[in-house]
Amino acid sequence: MRAIVGDRLVQHGRVVGVHDQVSEVVEVMGAEGSPPYRVRFADGHEAVMSPGPDCEIKHQDIKYPDAER
């Protein structure tokens, strides 16, 4: 799992009725994009996370000027 600042970390609910938790990566503390990550939740709460198998990284959309033609 690799992330950069600005990516979203989605932690899927593990039981029926529990919603996914989405946070934004604000700091990558591991080497070359590896965990742990400092993340910020929508309510402003920050935490250090080492994501497990119930998590995925949603990469931010990067738009390059040359790609628009």
Side-chain angles (χ1 to χ4, degrees):
M1 182 174 292
R2 303 231 186 271
I4 60 172
V5 172
D7 285 349
R8 291 181 299 139
L9 177 66
V10 180
Q11 183 177 13
H12 298 290
R14 293 185 284 175
V15 239
V16 174
V18 176
H19 298 285
D20 294 349
Q21 290 188 335
V22 180
S23 56
E24 178 185 357
V25 177
V26 294
E27 180 183 359
V28 177
M29 303 167 78
E32 298 179 7
S34 297
Y37 307 119
R38 181 175 310 278
V39 298
R40 182 178 300 128
F41 295 90
D43 64 359
H45 168 126
E46 289 190 6
V48 174
M49 295 184 66
S50 291
D54 58 340
C55 296
E56 69 176 309
I57 296 291
K58 296 284 189 176
H59 299 287
Q60 59 185 333
D61 291 333
I62 299 174
K63 301 200 182 215
Y64 297 98
D66 295 342
E68 296 177 15
R69 294 181 187 197

